Amino acid sequence: MTVLSSRCNASKVLRPERCVVLDGKPCAACTEDIELEKQIGELETLIYELYNRRRALRTVMNDNHDHLIHNFPPEIVSHIFVLYATPNVSTHKNKRSTPLRLGAVCRKWRQLAWATPRLWSSLALDFTFGKNDPLHSLHLIDEWLERSASLPLTIRYDDRSAHPQAANILNKHSARWHDVHFDIAVHHLHHLNSPSQGNSSCLLVLRYPFQFSVRPFDFPPFRATELALKSVPVPHVNITWNNITVAFLYDICVDQCIEVIRRAPLLRTFRLQAIKPLSHIFPLPNARILHPQVRSFELSENSSNVVATLDSLSFPSLEEWINDDYSQLWNGPELPEKMTSFIRCSPSLKIFKINIDHISCHRIIEGLHHFSTIEVLGLHSVLHRFRIIQLLDALCAPTQSQSPLFLPHLQSLEFVSKIYFPWESLPQIFSSSRWRSLRVKVNTRSGGHDTEVKTAEVLGELMEGFDLSIGKIDEPEWYY
């Protein structure tokens, strides 16, 4: 039996070299352990050497079998890398094609990828809802932006909670911000610098948190070109309004919507959704506010508050009006009259798109008689196939000789249908001599697949020479 020294019997395990007996040598167990540790060290060294040899061997294998690096100059390979790995920062898509995956292939790919600044000039960070994104590593964010050298930066930064350290890293490169999208809580706006480039594009989405205390404006106004307010009162927004060209207001009071028009002289696109009643913070105007720059106006999920909005605004340069309305207001006695009055103030209107669900066919046709300047008419339906049939019949009905020409400047008719489209009613449009040169576009949820393809082929044969296109609905990537 092996005899242990008195030091080995201690409660604390000691290193073998500290174990000695009376003659100054370690005990038998410690001697064996020392020998095993030596052998383990030798094997670990051998394994390390084998890994190095294998790594070098795989480098040679990559050199022998990598047709990309050997067959193309570095400039071409870099361009291919950029085409593969540049992310779509507006939608957070293509995360699988991150340039980090290129660097994981082999050493030469990594060296070339790390030395290609264009690969790192776009960055999408999403800190919302506790997402486990590998790019949440602050060190990696810093390295990513450093690799972009001096190129202009495209950045999307979504952060509903506070991550000031990530914001500080982005701020280090604010002089190079070219196209940026910030989606943050309104009381975190002070964490970010304003874009310093005069030609930079900045979309700022501000949200109202569940728990929020008003923060004093102890920081310079933020410079943005596009603004989306989600339930954020206008008095809580500290921005430079003179640069705003696009505004989307959701769950904002009527008087505050009108105040945005007052404050943004360069506004060209104005979107309103879920408008709330008066907050009485700002006075309603006694006369219409004329804004000569607005070109596109969109109303969604309208309420009775729309009437007050239309009564207060005038867009003489308006070219596009989208009325994505799911309410019954069009059938009421007041809104059509207000819309007609609003249209008279917009003599340049060329495009009108409307959701026809919940609106009687008679009321739609009656309203369209006042849209004599439009060249593009878009009809959107989610629920009613029969409503589309009614409208097609009405459009193709013969016009009384004494009546004014219906839609005299119409050039294009667009249908967006999330139900099966009534194809059997479509040929009657082209049978009318008046609409024979009309461009007709039909987008359906199943466009380009199965039944829709067969239908397109049949219609193409029947209506050869007519301008008909069939497509699939692209579900909107709402960056707001």
Side-chain angles (χ1 to χ4, degrees):
M1 184 177 71
T2 303
V3 179
L4 299 178
S5 67
S6 60
R7 301 190 62 130
C8 290
N9 289 325
S11 60
K12 182 179 180 181
V13 178
L14 303 176
R15 293 184 180 277
E17 59 268 25
R18 298 182 61 186
C19 173
V20 293
V21 289
L22 294 177
D23 58 0
K25 296 181 179 180
C27 66
C30 290
T31 300
E32 185 178 355
D33 183 71
I34 291 173
E35 183 61 28
L36 290 176
E37 186 172 334
K38 179 181 177 182
Q39 294 178 27
I40 290 173
E42 291 174 350
L43 290 174
E44 287 177 343
T45 301
L46 178 60
I47 291 174
Y48 180 75
E49 292 175 352
L50 290 175
Y51 271 120
N52 282 339
R53 287 174 57 189
R54 188 187 188 195
R55 191 178 298 113
L57 184 63
R58 289 195 168 186
T59 298
V60 175
M61 292 168 59
N62 287 331
D63 289 342
N64 292 339
H65 301 288
D66 185 354
H67 300 294
L68 183 64
I69 294 291
H70 286 301
N71 293 342
F72 297 97
E75 296 81 6
I76 300 298
V77 178
S78 292
H79 185 66
I80 294 174
F81 283 180
V82 170
L83 294 177
Y84 164 81
T86 301
N88 185 342
V89 298
S90 66
T91 60
H92 293 296
K93 287 186 177 179
N94 298 334
K95 286 187 175 181
R96 290 179 57 85
S97 60
T98 168
L100 296 174
R101 296 175 67 89
L102 294 172
V105 173
C106 68
R107 182 182 304 171
K108 287 192 174 181
W109 279 43
R110 180 165 56 255
Q111 291 172 346
L112 185 56
W114 268 226
T116 305
R118 284 183 61 195
L119 283 174
W120 313 95
S121 62
S122 297
L123 175 63
L125 297 174
D126 190 355
F127 288 92
T128 59
F129 310 118
K131 292 184 178 179
N132 186 20
D133 193 326
L135 286 179
H136 288 179
S137 165
L138 298 177
H139 177 69
L140 180 55
I141 296 173
D142 198 20
E143 279 193 355
W144 185 296
L145 294 175
E146 290 295 338
R147 290 174 192 154
S148 66
S150 59
L151 292 181
L153 296 174
T154 298
I155 296 174
R156 173 162 181 161
Y157 176 59
D158 291 4
D159 186 6
R160 312 292 164 79
S161 55
H163 290 85
Q165 291 177 311
N168 288 339
I169 295 174
L170 298 179
N171 288 337
K172 286 167 47 180
H173 305 272
S174 60
R176 296 192 288 126
W177 290 351
H178 174 67
D179 188 358
V180 292
H181 174 160
F182 297 132
D183 190 335
I184 59 176
V186 63
H187 60 301
H188 295 154
L189 181 58
H190 66 283
H191 290 311
L192 290 169
N193 291 346
S194 281
S196 58
Q197 294 190 34
N199 61 345
S200 61
S201 172
C202 176
L203 167 60
L204 179 63
V205 181
L206 296 178
R207 300 177 185 270
Y208 203 79
F210 292 110
Q211 295 181 346
F212 172 62
S213 57
V214 179
R215 176 185 175 87
F217 292 160
D218 54 359
F219 59 98
F222 191 89
R223 182 185 178 277
T225 55
E226 301 180 31
L227 175 68
L229 298 183
K230 309 276 290 210
S231 306
V232 178
V234 171
H236 295 173
V237 180
N238 186 23
I239 65 170
T240 303
W241 291 93
N242 288 341
N243 299 313
I244 299 297
T245 59
V246 177
F248 169 52
L249 308 182
Y250 173 83
D251 193 31
I252 306 294
C253 297
V254 171
D255 51 327
Q256 298 184 39
C257 295
I258 296 171
E259 181 64 18
V260 170
I261 289 290
R262 289 192 182 104
R263 297 187 180 190
L266 299 182
L267 190 65
R268 295 179 66 87
T269 300
F270 194 40
R271 294 181 56 200
L272 301 178
Q273 185 174 356
I275 305 171
K276 296 197 301 186
L278 290 169
S279 65
H280 301 288
I281 295 178
F282 302 103
L284 287 179
N286 295 324
R288 291 182 183 271
I289 297 178
L290 187 146
H291 197 300
Q293 299 297 325
V294 174
R295 300 294 192 273
S296 179
F297 181 42
E298 180 174 345
L299 291 172
S300 301
E301 296 181 20
N302 300 336
S303 66
S304 57
N305 302 302
V306 171
V307 175
T309 306
L310 294 179
D311 260 351
S312 302
L313 302 176
S314 174
F315 302 145
S317 301
L318 188 67
E319 298 174 356
E320 178 185 52
W321 188 4
I322 302 174
N323 192 3
D324 195 7
D325 178 19
Y326 290 86
S327 75
Q328 296 281 353
L329 283 177
W330 262 69
N331 295 322
E334 190 174 23
L335 185 61
E337 179 183 343
K338 300 296 183 182
M339 290 184 65
T340 302
S341 178
F342 181 79
I343 286 297
R344 292 196 187 102
C345 300
S346 306
S348 301
L349 188 66
K350 298 293 188 295
I351 302 171
F352 181 63
K353 299 180 180 180
I354 184 172
N355 186 299
I356 60 177
D357 292 328
H358 307 297
I359 309 175
S360 69
C361 180
H362 169 74
R363 182 54 64 89
I364 295 174
I365 296 297
E366 180 184 2
L368 289 178
H369 275 286
H370 300 283
F371 289 69
S372 59
T373 62
I374 64 171
E375 299 174 1
V376 178
L377 175 61
L379 302 175
H380 181 187
S381 178
V382 179
L383 304 173
H384 299 298
R385 178 175 182 266
F386 184 66
R387 186 65 46 77
I388 297 177
I389 297 176
Q390 286 182 313
L391 281 171
L392 286 173
D393 291 342
L395 287 170
C396 298
T399 305
Q400 299 294 332
S401 57
Q402 67 274 16
S403 302
L405 196 60
F406 181 57
L407 300 177
H409 301 287
L410 188 65
Q411 300 176 13
S412 179
L413 182 60
E414 300 177 1
F415 295 95
V416 178
S417 176
K418 293 188 178 181
I419 54 176
Y420 185 75
F421 187 80
W423 300 103
E424 68 280 2
S425 299
L426 196 58
Q428 64 177 313
I429 295 180
F430 299 108
S431 64
S432 170
S433 59
R434 185 181 168 213
W435 301 123
R436 193 159 295 173
S437 60
L438 192 68
R439 292 191 301 271
V440 178
K441 182 176 182 180
V442 181
N443 287 332
T444 65
R445 185 178 292 280
S446 57
H449 297 282
D450 303 333
T451 305
E452 304 292 345
V453 170
K454 297 177 182 178
T455 302
E457 292 174 353
V458 172
L459 286 173
E461 295 175 1
L462 294 176
M463 295 184 288
E464 185 177 358
F466 297 106
D467 196 344
L468 171 66
S469 61
I470 300 174
K472 183 179 180 181
I473 294 175
D474 293 325
E475 296 296 339
E477 300 284 359
W478 296 117
Y479 53 73
Y480 297 127

